[in-house]
Amino acid sequence: MTAPASSPAGAPVPLLEVRGLGKRFPGVVALAGVDLRVDAGEVVAVIGENGAGKSTLMKVVAGVHEPDAGELRWCGEPVRIDSVRRAAELGIALIHQELNLCDNLSVGANVLLGREPGRRLGWLVPRAVDAAARPFLARVGLDVDPRTPLGRLAMGPRQLVEIAKALSQDARLLIMDEPTSSLSFDETERLCRVIDELRAQGCAVLYISHRLGEVERVADRVIGLRDGRPSGALERGAIDHRAMVRLMVGRELEVRPRARRDSGARPVRLAIEGLRSATWPEHAVDLQVHAGEIVGLAGLVGAGRSELLEAVFGAARALAGRVAVDGVALPRGHGVRDAVAAGLAFVPEDRKERGAVLRMSALANTTLASLPEHRRAGGRWAGVLDGGRERATFGRVAARLDLRCKGPGQPVATLSGGNQQKVVLGRWLARDAQVLLLDEPTRGVDIGAKDEIYKRMEELAAQGCAILFASSELAELLALADRIVVMHEGAVAGELRAERATEELVMALATGAGTRAAVEATT
Amino acid sequence: MNRKLIGIVTVLAVVVAAAALQSPTFLSGPSVESLLARTALYGLLSIGAAFVIVTGGIDLSIGSVLCLAGLAPPFLVLELGWPIAAAFAAALALALVLGVLHGVLVTRLDLQPFVVTLCGLLVYRGLARGVTGDASVGWAERHREVAWLVERIPVTDAFAITPPMLVLLVVAVAATLVMTRTVLGRYLLALGNNREAARLSGIPTERTVVVAYAISGALAGLAGVLFVVDSVGGKAASLGNFYELYAIAGAVLGGCSLRGGEASIPGVVLGAGLMQVVLSAVRQTGIDTEIEFAIVGGVILVWVVAEELLRRAWRRRARG
């Protein structure tokens, strides 16, 4: 344990001090004017909506990204943290959302990976590794044999192994990015106790979490981020659920709210009854979307929005439940092909990995879901394609979506993010899909293109389509949706009509803990 | 794609020119005829391999399927007294079924194509050797009823067209049309590029992959039947050894990426041809034939390295 160094004035020198930090990515300001101070033996939590810049801030501190503006001081000295290695030398360790551990190695080998003690001429001495690992495992309160294969541990203990690994590298500042996202309640409590213990040992912790309950439990100080800018701070004693929600929301709307129509009288196009996804088998979801209606799915990361959309589309088989389109039920345990045949469309969250076929042309991407309809009359049996018909479809879809490309032959990889998304959406318009499931339709799309995608969604709804879309941006949900369905841990936590929804209400439902009280307090 | 085609044509022209300078007989009628005859058979194999490679898979069983299907007709006719037509039909059907089997194992059980077809490679050769007792099997004195399959059609005194060349031409044209102009070809390219995006677009990805393996099996069978007629007979221990590697090499030379999603059938046929040109050149220019494998391997390596370097240069130019 090191005694805090003192500045001439007598106040302790902060372990880490960040002033005026700025970071831009192409088309996005990720961070601007962010200040942050962390003292030894202090737990500082950073909260904010998805995309508020929390992870970017952590990555800058951990040397993954270099900042474009601002100053970093470590123990009072200005430093440049230009690599993860440099951060590790200083004593900064980032514990990732996805753990960086090897399942096939033992717990002890993982703790000391790359720094195995007692190796001579490349020979490992397993006993020396185990002995060296033990004290670090003890510090995180993990009572397992260092020889246990890591793959046998549950997620909670693995997290502790990761922390032990950081401690073995003499880390003085631990950065934890959503450490509890895959932990059970008991495991979370155990992690909180370990954090208390580390604080007592003089370690500093920078903590990112959506779960406000545990932030309240562990944090000495809370920093709010909104659109990459600081939105305020809370000192111990002032940290409570409502105050934190206020720090997270209140973002300015980029879009004008659309004129909403009462869709109650219109026919139901998509009916979901008792749907259980494999990820959240204990919760059944019921949901209806009417013709001309846009329904937004709100929730935090991991709340089960994507899982719901995938189960509806049959991309991941549902365990139970029924999906009906225009009153016609899909077969039980339906797959993608059943869904497509019924007129459902799905735009996945990860456009590059799962949406666009990047090396194919804009035209081939557009007609991909409707190729059998583009066969030449004379060669139907052989599946010969009718180029003219394909070009006609492409022209129609491109005009409807205002697609900007050099021509039908342009590879999709060379289009902008917004236009790529239009191509993926266009694939479904080419077959006149009437029920659209969109997962984060504006992710990775620049601001201008976002507006355009909103406009297209509104036009499609006006033409009678039913749209169910998941979004992590509250402003987008509030501006676009007629109704907002909020999910929390796999279940529908509540439903809000657009005219009554506020960011506070949505966030209160989405964060779960203290839900009812928060909702009642605001209404 | 066009760039790759230009590349392979250029390399082919250079190798042919170099060989012609070294050996005056290289461009003689008989030499060209034997070159084309061999290209016809290996080209069929490479086209089949390309259909599998474009899905991101690999077919290592080609040589063994060729052996089994190739030896089946003479065995069935001469040993068991089957009618010739039935024997041919059975051989081709067998090859097709084996391809379908590979495809089903790869898609339904999600097994790795390398492992599935490696097992095929071992099993079919073992079966062929077991059934034939490792004896030479063939059309005795080139059975009159089958000889027409390889009957030369003289064009000049020194050069003739053989039926396998015509078979390759028909198959190559058909395969090109399938790949570029049909639903099946578009599905193959799409799922080879991004299988998940293809699946989420409602494409029957599993069925499409099965068809690709079936095509590879069927073409290996067809080539095998023609090979055995052409060479009068063969032994199960040696017939078709390593041919899967020649087939894959031809496809790669012709511009297929083993990552999938890229194939040009004309390129693949030229790639198969380039392999044969290199082999002929080695034999005719008096280089020790013992090292021909080394030379073939070297040519392929030089080609893929050059291609990668050119690709990087193009990309750098496109960026800067």
Side-chain angles (χ1 to χ4, degrees):
Chain A
M1 229 170 294
T2 42
S6 288
S7 68
V13 171
L15 186 66
L16 173 75
E17 200 175 7
V18 173
R19 283 201 208 121
L21 198 69
K23 176 73 192 168
R24 303 172 64 90
F25 292 111
V28 200
V29 177
L31 292 173
V34 175
D35 297 332
L36 177 71
R37 193 193 82 229
V38 189
D39 293 330
E42 192 185 30
V43 178
V44 177
V46 179
I47 61 173
E49 264 187 64
N50 300 326
K54 300 173 307 242
S55 291
T56 309
L57 173 60
M58 300 293 144
K59 284 180 178 162
V60 167
V61 173
V64 178
H65 296 318
E66 272 208 83
D68 304 321
E71 187 187 26
L72 285 149
R73 283 171 178 269
W74 181 253
C75 300
E77 300 293 319
V79 285
R80 185 159 165 257
I81 307 176
D82 52 1
S83 67
V84 180
R85 170 176 277 232
R86 175 80 185 120
E89 283 165 15
L90 292 171
I92 300 172
L94 176 64
I95 293 172
H96 282 277
Q97 277 168 329
E98 302 85 26
L99 304 182
N100 290 322
L101 297 172
C102 306
D103 281 5
N104 55 339
L105 298 181
S106 73
V107 168
N110 266 290
V111 170
L112 293 163
L113 193 64
R115 291 159 295 111
E116 292 79 2
R119 48 179 176 186
R120 282 178 220 101
L121 305 170
W123 286 94
L124 278 175
V125 185
R127 252 177 308 145
V129 173
D130 295 343
R134 256 189 207 104
F136 299 110
L137 293 173
R139 271 181 77 187
V140 298
L142 190 62
D143 183 26
V144 300
D145 188 328
R147 284 169 297 180
T148 315
L150 185 92
R152 289 219 203 117
L153 300 189
M155 286 314 288
R158 283 188 202 198
Q159 194 95 51
L160 298 178
V161 171
E162 181 94 7
I163 295 172
K165 182 176 168 185
L167 293 177
S168 77
Q169 296 167 33
D170 294 322
R172 295 166 65 193
L173 174 65
L174 293 178
I175 303 174
M176 299 189 188
D177 191 358
E178 300 278 356
T180 58
S181 56
S182 47
L183 300 193
S184 69
F185 182 79
D186 290 343
E187 288 174 331
T188 301
E189 179 49 33
R190 187 175 182 190
L191 181 71
C192 289
R193 281 203 303 276
V194 169
I195 290 174
D196 289 340
E197 189 62 35
L198 291 171
R199 167 171 36 207
Q201 293 168 10
C203 260
V205 177
L206 250 179
Y207 194 88
I208 299 184
S209 182
H210 275 117
R211 300 191 181 176
L212 300 183
E214 71 197 39
V215 170
E216 211 172 325
R217 158 86 175 72
V218 299
D220 297 311
R221 210 144 40 81
V222 172
I223 308 282
L225 282 183
R226 197 187 296 148
D227 292 333
R229 292 176 175 78
S231 60
L234 299 168
E235 296 294 333
R236 192 152 197 78
I239 301 172
D240 67 33
H241 196 272
R242 283 187 64 189
M244 285 193 282
V245 167
R246 232 178 293 124
L247 280 190
M248 292 168 78
V249 301
R251 214 182 122 189
E252 301 223 347
L253 296 189
E254 291 151 1
V255 245
R256 258 177 302 130
R258 63 195 274 265
R260 293 180 175 85
R261 286 163 307 278
D262 185 24
S263 47
R266 290 164 177 256
V268 174
R269 296 214 88 149
L270 173 68
I272 302 165
E273 281 171 35
L275 199 70
R276 292 173 194 273
S277 68
T279 329
W280 299 97
E282 65 273 30
H283 298 300
V285 173
D286 298 285
L287 192 67
Q288 292 191 335
V289 187
H290 298 85
E293 192 182 26
I294 301 182
V295 175
L297 274 178
L300 301 176
V301 169
R305 293 167 301 167
S306 296
E307 287 81 356
L308 174 64
L309 291 178
E310 305 234 336
V312 171
F313 190 61
R317 304 255 168 188
L319 295 182
R322 228 176 57 109
V323 173
V325 177
D326 289 331
V328 182
L330 269 64
R332 229 161 246 298
H334 69 278
V336 171
R337 287 174 61 69
D338 302 311
V340 171
L344 279 171
F346 176 55
V347 174
E349 178 179 359
D350 193 337
R351 181 177 60 245
K352 293 193 172 164
E353 290 294 319
R354 306 182 66 206
V357 184
L358 290 173
R359 280 187 288 164
M360 278 173 59
S361 67
L363 178 137
N365 268 276
T366 305
T367 56
L368 193 59
S370 52
L371 281 181
E373 285 93 83
H374 290 94
R375 283 174 300 180
R376 190 183 294 224
R380 288 186 75 81
W381 59 273
V384 180
L385 290 166
D386 184 334
R389 201 177 291 185
E390 277 198 279
R391 278 189 296 278
T393 299
F394 175 76
R396 179 169 59 81
V397 170
R400 200 165 157 200
L401 292 175
D402 195 17
L403 180 71
R404 311 268 165 75
C405 63
K406 285 181 209 147
Q410 188 176 359
V412 170
T414 61
L415 293 175
S416 72
N419 281 305
Q420 286 182 357
Q421 194 69 312
K422 286 185 200 170
V423 167
V424 178
L425 188 58
R427 186 181 296 162
W428 299 111
L429 300 188
R431 52 174 302 134
D432 276 321
Q434 294 292 315
V435 180
L436 310 181
L437 309 167
L438 316 177
D439 197 356
E440 302 282 0
T442 61
R443 167 134 323 161
V445 160
D446 52 39
I447 305 282
K450 273 188 186 179
D451 266 342
E452 271 200 66
I453 288 176
Y454 299 150
K455 270 193 216 126
R456 302 303 153 228
M457 284 169 65
E458 288 181 15
E459 280 168 17
L460 289 168
Q463 290 159 12
C465 285
I467 302 181
L468 178 61
F469 81 107
S471 174
S472 293
E473 293 193 32
L474 285 174
E476 181 171 303
L477 287 162
L478 291 171
L480 213 55
D482 298 303
R483 227 167 1 118
I484 298 177
V485 172
V486 188
M487 296 190 72
H488 174 69
E489 304 202 332
V492 172
E495 190 179 310
L496 300 164
R497 293 219 56 82
E499 54 275 18
R500 286 196 38 221
T502 62
E503 297 200 9
E504 283 80 9
L505 272 173
V506 173
M507 195 51 90
L509 286 168
T511 49
T515 299
R516 198 156 298 151
V519 173
E520 278 161 11
T522 11
T523 41
Chain B
M1 208 54 95
N2 272 333
R3 230 179 238 162
K4 282 189 171 177
L5 213 52
I6 293 166
I8 185 97
V9 169
T10 311
V11 173
L12 195 57
V14 169
V15 174
V16 167
L21 285 176
Q22 283 293 311
S23 150
T25 58
F26 188 78
L27 287 180
S28 68
S31 165
V32 172
E33 182 186 327
S34 103
L35 193 64
L36 288 179
R38 274 180 288 117
T39 299
L41 296 169
Y42 286 101
L44 290 175
L45 300 180
S46 280
I47 291 173
F51 271 89
V52 170
I53 288 172
V54 76
T55 70
I58 193 104
D59 190 348
L60 296 178
S61 71
I62 289 173
S64 295
V65 170
L66 175 146
C67 171
L68 195 60
L71 295 182
F75 183 81
L76 292 173
V77 171
L78 301 177
E79 303 281 324
L80 303 180
W82 284 38
I84 285 179
F88 277 128
L92 294 178
L94 173 68
L96 183 75
V97 166
L98 293 177
V100 169
L101 177 70
H102 298 155
V104 169
L105 289 172
V106 165
T107 54
R108 285 295 142 94
L109 293 184
D110 205 16
L111 299 179
Q112 290 167 9
F114 193 101
V115 175
V116 168
T117 57
L118 178 64
C119 293
L121 178 151
L122 297 167
V123 171
Y124 311 143
R125 184 159 306 275
L127 285 179
R129 291 181 64 174
V131 170
T132 60
D134 249 353
S136 182
V137 178
W139 301 102
E141 299 302 309
R142 196 173 272 173
H143 215 286
R144 266 188 301 113
E145 279 98 325
V146 299
W148 62 272
L149 273 173
V150 289
E151 190 73 63
R152 297 169 74 246
I153 307 162
V155 178
T156 67
D157 288 346
F159 177 76
I161 289 173
T162 62
M165 293 182 203
L166 299 176
V167 170
L168 175 73
L169 189 67
V170 170
V171 169
V173 169
T176 305
L177 290 177
V178 165
M179 204 60 103
T180 57
R181 300 275 172 84
T182 68
V183 176
L184 174 65
R186 191 69 64 75
Y187 282 179
L188 285 168
L189 290 167
L191 72 87
N193 261 309
N194 189 335
R195 179 138 341 176
E196 183 67 1
R199 184 179 78 93
L200 292 180
S201 299
I203 289 176
T205 50
E206 297 198 344
R207 210 189 309 152
T208 308
V209 170
V210 171
V211 169
Y213 282 90
I215 289 172
S216 178
L219 288 181
L222 179 60
V225 168
L226 295 174
F227 249 116
V228 172
V229 180
D230 190 37
S231 54
V232 188
K235 283 179 88 166
S238 57
L239 177 65
N241 262 337
F242 291 123
Y243 284 16
E244 57 280 339
L245 300 184
Y246 283 119
I248 294 165
V252 169
L253 283 174
C256 286
S257 159
L258 288 183
R259 291 187 198 97
E262 265 178 84
S264 135
I265 299 298
V268 166
V269 173
L270 289 175
L274 176 59
M275 294 272 300
Q276 296 311 315
V277 169
V278 171
L279 281 173
S280 283
V282 170
R283 286 170 195 153
Q284 289 191 24
T285 50
I287 303 171
D288 285 342
T289 49
E290 286 81 2
I291 66 161
E292 68 181 37
F293 272 150
I295 290 181
V296 170
V299 167
I300 297 172
L301 190 62
V302 166
W303 168 238
V304 293
V305 167
E307 197 185 42
E308 180 63 27
L309 294 179
L310 282 174
R311 203 172 57 82
R312 289 185 189 185
W314 274 320
R315 205 198 288 157
R316 223 172 298 137
R317 215 177 55 183
R319 238 193 268 124

